[in-house]
Structure formats: C-alpha cells, structure tokens
Amino acid sequence: MTTDVTLSLTLPAALAASLRKEAAQRGWTPENIILDCIAQHLEVALRHRVVLERMEQVDAALLQLAQTVGEIEAAAEAVEPGALCRYRPDRDAAGIS
C-alpha cells in the first residue's frame, strides 16, 4: 500500500509569482505544475540509476568473459579465436565469406 508523502517547498517571491501567473493562464494550479515537475525529474533520476546499474552488470559480465577467455588461453598452447566465439576474421562486415 502506498502512502502520500508531504513535502514543504519554499520558492523565491519572483519565481512563485511567475509560477502563479503561468498556471493561471493555463487553468492549472501552481501545486499541480510543481507536482508534475517533481514527478518528471524523479522518473528521469530513476531511469538514470537503472541505466547505471545495467552498465555495471554489463561491465561485470565482460570482465568475467575476459577472465574466462584468459583461463582458456592459459590452459591451451594455441587457441584459435574462431573456436571460442562467432568472430571470423575471414568474413566481411555482412558476415558473408
């Protein structure tokens, strides 16, 4: 169950007057504009954190992959890169021989 959060906001007089004027011209309340702005900024902040988290997961997976390839390479005398992955240096960019 979600509960409402109470927030107190103090704006400089000039900004508050501008906000009231713009809100009145559009038939909105200053409070609704402020709530929309806060909601939008929180959404952006949450998405940013998710992107950073995913980047860290990708970095960790790449590090693990590099370590695995290093272990395989150390265990074998000569490893052909094509035996480890789909990369084929003899194919062009379209993947056609």
Side-chain angles (χ1 to χ4, degrees):
M1 183 169 100
T2 60
T3 59
D4 290 340
V5 174
T6 302
L7 178 68
S8 176
L9 182 65
T10 303
L11 299 174
L15 179 58
S18 177
L19 181 62
R20 277 190 214 97
K21 178 184 169 191
E22 294 299 321
Q25 287 178 355
R26 289 164 178 78
W28 301 335
T29 65
E31 294 82 3
N32 284 342
I33 293 175
I34 291 170
L35 287 174
D36 285 347
C37 288
I38 291 172
Q40 289 174 13
H41 284 281
L42 287 174
E43 180 67 27
V44 169
L46 289 172
R47 288 175 186 241
H48 178 74
R49 294 200 75 181
V50 167
V51 166
L52 290 178
E53 182 178 297
R54 288 183 182 162
M55 286 174 52
E56 289 174 2
Q57 290 171 347
V58 168
D59 286 348
L62 288 173
L63 178 60
Q64 183 179 10
L65 178 62
Q67 289 171 341
T68 301
V69 170
E71 291 170 7
I72 292 170
E73 193 173 61
E77 291 192 20
V79 175
E80 179 65 33
L84 296 176
C85 62
R86 292 182 174 183
Y87 172 73
R88 302 288 191 264
D90 56 326
R91 293 187 179 190
D92 65 12
I96 302 170
S97 298

